[in-house]
Amino acid sequence: MRATGKDGFLYSVRFGEPIVGGADVTVETSGFFKIKSKAAVGSGIPSKNPTDIDAVDLSADMIYFARAGQTLAEGDVIIPMELRKISFVTDVSDSSQSTSHDVTTQADVDTGLRAYVPGAFKERTGSINGYVDTGSDEQRELLKEYRMVSVDDGTNVSVWQSKTAVHHFMLSRAELVPEGDLELWEYFPVITEQLQMDKPLDGTQPFNFNYRVDGSSKPMTLYVTKESA
């Protein structure tokens, strides 16, 4: 399937209470889960396809799509991920960069070409763009990084001091696909690096921020076979 912009959405992630495996414990509702731990023997968490020689099995801190009825053995602990569609977003840019190192020596002179080796690290950066939305909880969480925020609910006034945070997002690139086809998802935990919230004289008020993907939180690209509704 050739995905278009209308086939996917950006969601914020809220982590729920861990589900602890054991006798007769099963996943009640299909969805995305973060693995907290995995049983050393007899785990109910799916194993890799044995024909995929270069692949590895799922492990702690990774994300996967668990299907309703899946059993969880003692030692399996998974954390449900609640996905909330973000109301203010219009578009998402995503760029990946690699590094290389020049290792050219005199042995390469005859080839006329420089020799390179790939660097150990990759980086992903981008921006998320949209509009100011006073009803967006996600937008409020982003603002808390850059300024003190108070919320007056008519009875109480709560104040948050500004502090940094890792924001957990899920981006569906091909979500609206036929049953049995492959959905394409991105789990990307990010830190923000710049936030812009202009106020023009007329027209919409833009809300944009730049991000950098946090590799320590195990970002993943997930291809998932579409279930029946």
Side-chain angles (χ1 to χ4, degrees), residues 181-213:
D181 205 343
L182 284 176
E183 296 183 333
L184 177 56
W185 291 79
E186 299 270 3
Y187 167 59
F188 63 113
V190 307
I191 59 172
T192 65
E193 296 191 317
Q194 180 189 30
L195 185 147
Q196 185 171 354
M197 189 168 63
D198 296 333
K199 211 300 288 179
L201 184 64
D202 190 19
T204 58
Q205 296 187 36
F207 185 97
N208 312 311
F209 65 94
N210 297 332
Y211 67 82
R212 188 175 300 274
V213 174

Side-chain angles (χ1 to χ4, degrees), residues 137-210:
D137 291 336
E138 292 79 15
Q139 194 167 101
R140 189 179 301 167
E141 290 301 314
L142 291 160
L143 284 172
K144 288 176 184 176
E145 283 205 67
Y146 292 91
R147 60 204 72 182
M148 191 182 299
V149 173
S150 75
V151 177
D152 179 346
D153 64 9
T155 303
N156 305 107
V157 178
S158 299
V159 179
W160 286 267
Q161 301 281 357
S162 62
K163 64 178 182 179
T164 58
V166 175
H167 301 275
H168 298 268
F169 295 120
M170 287 287 285
L171 175 67
S172 61
R173 292 186 178 273
E175 179 183 354
L176 305 179
V177 299
E179 177 186 345
D181 205 343
L182 284 176
E183 296 183 333
L184 177 56
W185 291 79
E186 299 270 3
Y187 167 59
F188 63 113
V190 307
I191 59 172
T192 65
E193 296 191 317
Q194 180 189 30
L195 185 147
Q196 185 171 354
M197 189 168 63
D198 296 333
K199 211 300 288 179
L201 184 64
D202 190 19
T204 58
Q205 296 187 36
F207 185 97
N208 312 311
F209 65 94
N210 297 332

Side-chain angles (χ1 to χ4, degrees), residues 44-199:
I45 296 170
S47 301
K48 71 171 187 175
N49 187 325
T51 63
D52 295 332
I53 305 300
D54 295 332
V56 298
D57 283 321
L58 288 165
S59 60
D61 296 327
M62 290 186 179
I63 302 297
Y64 82 109
F65 187 84
R67 291 172 169 78
Q70 175 193 312
T71 59
L72 294 174
E74 185 175 349
D76 290 336
V77 181
I78 60 175
I79 304 172
M81 300 168 62
E82 178 190 352
L83 305 188
R84 301 181 181 183
K85 189 180 293 184
I86 303 178
S87 61
F88 72 86
V89 171
T90 56
D91 57 273
V92 179
S93 73
D94 182 10
S95 176
S96 300
Q97 301 90 30
S98 181
T99 58
S100 60
H101 303 289
D102 188 339
V103 292
T104 307
T105 69
Q106 64 180 13
D108 301 303
V109 171
D110 290 342
T111 69
L113 299 172
R114 289 189 173 275
Y116 294 91
V117 295
F121 302 103
K122 308 292 187 290
E123 289 196 38
R124 285 179 63 191
T125 59
S127 62
I128 295 176
N129 307 310
Y131 302 118
V132 172
D133 181 355
T134 60
S136 171
D137 291 336
E138 292 79 15
Q139 194 167 101
R140 189 179 301 167
E141 290 301 314
L142 291 160
L143 284 172
K144 288 176 184 176
E145 283 205 67
Y146 292 91
R147 60 204 72 182
M148 191 182 299
V149 173
S150 75
V151 177
D152 179 346
D153 64 9
T155 303
N156 305 107
V157 178
S158 299
V159 179
W160 286 267
Q161 301 281 357
S162 62
K163 64 178 182 179
T164 58
V166 175
H167 301 275
H168 298 268
F169 295 120
M170 287 287 285
L171 175 67
S172 61
R173 292 186 178 273
E175 179 183 354
L176 305 179
V177 299
E179 177 186 345
D181 205 343
L182 284 176
E183 296 183 333
L184 177 56
W185 291 79
E186 299 270 3
Y187 167 59
F188 63 113
V190 307
I191 59 172
T192 65
E193 296 191 317
Q194 180 189 30
L195 185 147
Q196 185 171 354
M197 189 168 63
D198 296 333
K199 211 300 288 179

